[in-house]
Amino acid sequence: MKKCVIALLAILLAGSCGEKKEQKAKAPIRVKTEVAVNSGNVSGQSYVGVVEENEATAVSFTGMGVVKRVLVSEGQAVGKGQLLAVMDDTQARNLLSGAEAQMAQADDALKRYGMLHDAGSLPEAQWVEIQSKVAQAKSQLSVARKNLNDCRLVAPVSGVVGRQQVKAGETALPSQAVVTILDVSRVRVRVAVPEAEMNAITPHTSSMIEVEAAGKKVSGGRIEKGVQADALTHTYDIHIHVANPDRKLLPGMVANVTLSQIHTSKGEGGGFYLPITSVQRRPDGSLFVWTVDNQKTAHRTTVTVGSSQGNRIRITDGITAGERVVTEGFQKLSEGTRVVF
């Protein structure tokens, strides 16, 4: 009887352990994957760019004073010569009144002493002194008029107001930008390009630019290539000129850029292009990707890489066509982890 009871307890205990093991089994990790497909040479590559103004002009007062009014707002279109802001001109008007009074006094003295000079009753030295005072008064009057005129800030060019940096009631300093006017009749799209691809890009490389924020898809124009690389990413900036007659493309908008006629170097055709971020590095320096087998289990697979194209890199060895590679969510994976996608 005791033997039967012991056997029954052993069976129940084993079943309980099995249930605990099943409960402790980890849930599959959700990931994103991509099936490796032989891509051959790349005839076009996508990048992410940023729209920039063709030119920015900082507009400022030439003197110091309190800003009474700012007549434009950010994003407003302005024309050349349009009044942008007004500075308190009380002091400038007082100086102008004083200069006008001195000018009137100098003119009156010139008339009175002129008659004496014509009659030969005025020494030549005194006559020269009077003429000098008249010229000085004219100069001071011209400066006073300019100071008064400088209390009005006008647009030197046409464009769109980008940023207002001084508001009404604040003191503007000489050469301190009150507003910035952006020329957006044409814009430039800045794109960071890996150094390995710069040689394939020419000033006449065709491009297609799509800006979702503006709902526009346009062809790019002339390309300017930068000459200084980013020290961390080893990329170079290129600028693509784009016509913008309706001014819908605004600085700061994100653009999807596709450059055509970009091919791999001779002898580098074939392979599998995968996101650069999917390639990981072991402590010993070797590279690997996470592949998923038919049982949806993740495995580290050593790979060899070639040149990059945009945000993708060519896998030259280690995987075969049809293999599924993890592209997102691999941070939580370990060898043999079950995944869902």
Side-chain angles (χ1 to χ4, degrees):
M1 182 68 179
K2 290 183 178 180
K3 292 182 179 179
C4 293
V5 173
I6 292 173
L8 181 59
L9 288 173
I11 294 172
L12 292 175
L13 187 59
S16 175
C17 291
E19 290 179 0
K20 288 182 179 180
K21 288 182 179 180
E22 290 179 1
Q23 290 175 357
K24 290 182 179 180
K26 291 184 178 179
I29 302 296
R30 181 166 295 279
V31 297
K32 288 187 178 181
T33 64
E34 185 174 316
V35 176
V37 178
N38 196 319
S39 58
N41 289 340
V42 178
S43 60
Q45 185 59 49
S46 298
Y47 303 86
V48 176
V50 178
V51 178
E52 296 180 344
E53 67 278 0
N54 183 49
E55 188 174 356
T57 304
V59 188
S60 60
F61 289 105
T62 57
M64 183 175 69
V66 177
V67 177
K68 291 178 63 176
R69 291 180 296 162
V70 178
L71 305 175
V72 294
S73 56
E74 295 182 359
Q76 179 180 339
V78 295
K80 183 177 180 180
Q82 181 175 337
L83 184 63
L84 304 176
V86 178
M87 183 186 290
D88 184 4
D89 59 0
T90 302
Q91 184 177 2
R93 288 187 180 279
N94 291 336
L95 292 175
L96 178 60
S97 297
E100 289 175 340
Q102 288 183 353
M103 187 71 248
Q105 184 180 5
D107 283 339
D108 181 64
L110 183 67
K111 290 179 182 178
R112 287 188 291 107
Y113 284 101
M115 290 186 291
L116 294 175
H117 179 265
D118 292 342
S121 303
L122 185 70
E124 190 66 27
Q126 191 174 356
W127 175 243
V128 172
E129 182 181 354
I130 293 171
Q131 288 180 317
S132 297
K133 288 183 178 180
V134 171
Q136 185 178 4
K138 285 183 179 179
S139 177
Q140 291 177 347
L141 179 61
S142 177
V143 171
R145 286 173 176 170
K146 182 180 185 304
N147 288 339
L148 179 60
N149 188 58
D150 288 344
C151 290
R152 295 166 53 86
L153 187 64
V154 298
V157 294
S158 299
V160 175
V161 177
R163 180 176 297 179
Q164 179 184 339
Q165 297 173 301
V166 178
K167 300 183 182 301
E170 296 180 347
T171 299
L173 300 175
S175 301
Q176 177 189 10
V178 177
V179 295
T180 302
I181 298 179
L182 308 178
D183 176 13
V184 293
S185 58
R186 296 186 62 85
V187 295
R188 303 187 305 166
V189 178
R190 175 171 54 83
V191 180
V193 177
E195 59 182 9
E197 300 170 27
M198 285 294 289
N199 189 50
I201 299 175
T202 71
H204 306 292
T205 297
S206 60
S207 60
M208 184 61 64
I209 298 167
E210 183 176 7
V211 181
E212 293 184 1
K216 291 191 65 175
K217 188 173 183 179
V218 297
S219 298
R222 180 173 55 88
I223 296 178
E224 294 178 354
K225 298 169 63 174
V227 296
Q228 187 171 2
D230 185 283
L232 296 177
T233 62
H234 295 284
T235 58
Y236 288 81
D237 284 345
I238 65 170
H239 290 88
I240 306 172
H241 289 259
V242 181
N244 188 31
D246 56 6
R247 290 174 169 76
K248 287 187 176 180
L249 300 180
L250 299 176
M253 288 184 173
V254 177
N256 296 317
V257 180
T258 301
L259 295 179
S260 62
Q261 300 177 0
I262 298 182
H263 303 276
T264 58
S265 301
K266 186 176 181 181
E268 290 191 355
F272 309 96
Y273 282 89
L274 296 174
I276 292 178
T277 54
S278 65
V279 180
Q280 307 295 302
R281 186 182 297 274
R282 293 189 178 94
D284 62 2
S286 61
L287 303 177
F288 70 93
V289 296
W290 288 100
T291 57
V292 180
D293 61 20
N294 294 334
Q295 285 72 43
K296 296 186 178 180
T297 301
H299 302 282
R300 290 186 182 88
T301 302
T302 302
V303 296
T304 303
V305 301
S307 61
S308 62
Q309 297 285 343
N311 60 355
R312 300 175 75 81
I313 193 166
R314 188 167 63 93
I315 309 298
T316 60
D317 189 33
I319 61 175
T320 58
E323 280 196 85
R324 188 173 293 275
V325 179
V326 178
T327 57
E328 291 184 29
F330 46 76
Q331 293 84 353
K332 297 182 180 180
L333 296 182
S334 57
E335 185 65 30
T337 300
R338 291 183 59 81
V339 298
V340 292
F341 46 85

